[in-house]
Amino acid sequence: MKALVPDSAGGVVFADVPDPVPDAAEAVISVEAFSVNRGETFLLDRPRPGWRPGKDVAGRVARAAADGSGPPAGARVVGYAPSAGWAERVAVPTAALTELPDSVPAPTAAALPLAGLTALRLLRRAGSLIGRRLLITGASGGVGHYVVELAVASGAEVTAVAASASRGARLAELGATVVDDPADAPGRYDLVFESVGGESLVVARRKARPDGLVIWFGQAGREPVTLDFFDWIDDTVGAPIVPFDHTRSDRPDAEDLATLVRLVATGRLHPEIGVELPWEHTGRILDDLRGRRLRGNAVLTLT
């Protein structure tokens, strides 16, 4: 079968690879669409031997799991694969698969797994949002759009940091106040979701109320954070910083994916797909992601 594999320059090339050999609790999916995430560009910079990219996939079950779990053959599904999803077929654990209604197209569903699961679990970690003020940095990516739409719908007052007016346009439509620097965010916040790292985290933390909470869920800027000890103990700044990993959840991926699919199917969540192209254009999309030229999710389709 055809698959995209790492090349020697941080990109991908087409190659012929063996068909996946699933474990008993894995189904083989014929991939119709997949999403490319910025984190995958980091892994492609220094790929592990034998590793192939691809986590967010949507398509049909070509072979149901041997243990009888999960969707049957022929079912339309969205899944969160461990890897190797940029291919014609991929094995996905049934604990990370959920069925799709006819009303949700495969390209829309492919934008859900990593970004959607991260957003859903961030908001779950934050607790009740009614009447609370929330600041999110790096908001113009897939996670940010999901967080803003869900948080506004839950009663939060949201400020989103986006690098430009064009990248923040949809966030404003969803109900957020949009600024291009966390220093310009008005007032103080009960919750800060920080995903850029470096100086962005330091500045965003100063925007949290002393009794607030900063949830640090990424370092997209790839700059390390330097914290000032006196800043840390300052009573006017001292909100705690909690690191967040979306893979640490007490609910299986399939359950949370089903929630996301239900929200999309009922018109309460709208994946922001900045670009949708045939998978022959994956190399170009990787360059655009590295250059921060895309808004929302990037989706590639197989013909």
Side-chain angles (χ1 to χ4, degrees):
M1 70 173 184
K2 295 291 185 183
L4 289 166
V5 302
D7 64 14
S8 59
V12 289
V13 295
F14 280 103
D16 291 312
V17 301
D19 266 45
V21 179
D23 291 338
E26 292 182 329
V28 176
I29 308 306
S30 290
V31 179
E32 297 175 4
F34 61 82
S35 181
V36 179
N37 298 290
R38 183 167 166 79
E40 285 159 325
T41 68
F42 303 157
L43 296 174
L44 283 166
D45 288 340
R46 294 183 180 179
R48 303 184 303 273
W51 171 80
R52 288 175 23 220
K55 299 180 76 66
D56 297 2
V57 298
R60 289 187 181 272
V61 177
R63 186 193 310 174
D67 68 357
S69 63
R76 298 181 65 248
V77 293
V78 61
Y80 192 37
S83 64
W86 299 358
E88 292 180 313
R89 289 173 291 282
V90 63
V92 181
T94 55
L97 277 177
T98 195
E99 292 194 50
L100 292 174
D102 291 340
S103 62
V104 180
T108 300
L112 287 173
L114 189 147
L117 290 173
T118 300
L120 185 66
R121 291 167 180 175
L122 273 170
L123 294 170
R124 185 178 293 142
R125 172 63 180 83
S128 175
L129 297 177
I130 297 175
R132 303 178 80 185
R133 303 193 77 227
L134 186 155
L135 173 67
I136 178 168
T137 66
S140 61
V143 175
H145 282 86
Y146 289 135
V147 164
V148 168
E149 184 166 16
L150 293 172
V152 169
S154 298
E157 179 185 343
V158 180
T159 297
V161 182
S164 66
S166 61
R167 290 175 65 84
R170 177 60 178 156
L171 298 167
E173 291 175 4
L174 292 171
T177 298
V178 180
V179 297
D180 60 10
D181 189 303
D184 296 329
R188 304 291 288 272
Y189 294 84
D190 304 292
L191 294 163
V192 173
F193 291 169
E194 217 295 311
S195 66
V196 178
E199 185 65 16
S200 174
L201 187 144
V202 176
V203 175
R205 180 172 181 260
R206 290 173 182 159
K207 287 292 181 177
R209 301 184 194 278
D211 59 350
L213 180 66
V214 179
I215 302 180
W216 185 15
F217 70 99
Q219 194 161 299
R222 308 195 76 174
E223 293 293 332
V225 177
T226 301
L227 293 172
D228 186 322
F229 175 77
F230 296 101
D231 213 19
W232 189 272
I233 63 173
D234 186 336
D235 287 342
T236 67
V237 180
I241 299 174
V242 176
F244 174 87
D245 178 354
H246 79 280
T247 65
R248 298 179 181 176
S249 174
D250 59 357
R251 304 190 189 190
D253 292 340
E255 181 178 328
D256 281 345
L257 282 173
T259 296
L260 294 167
V261 168
R262 175 176 54 81
L263 291 171
V264 172
T266 55
R268 296 163 64 192
L269 184 65
H270 302 83
E272 180 67 15
I273 298 177
V275 63
E276 179 184 329
L277 289 170
W279 70 326
E280 290 84 358
H281 296 273
T282 303
R284 167 189 152 187
I285 296 306
L286 291 171
D287 290 339
D288 286 345
L289 280 172
R290 288 187 171 103
R292 308 303 294 271
R293 293 186 289 271
L294 294 179
R295 184 179 75 184
N297 290 91
V299 174
L300 286 303
T301 58
L302 282 67
T303 55

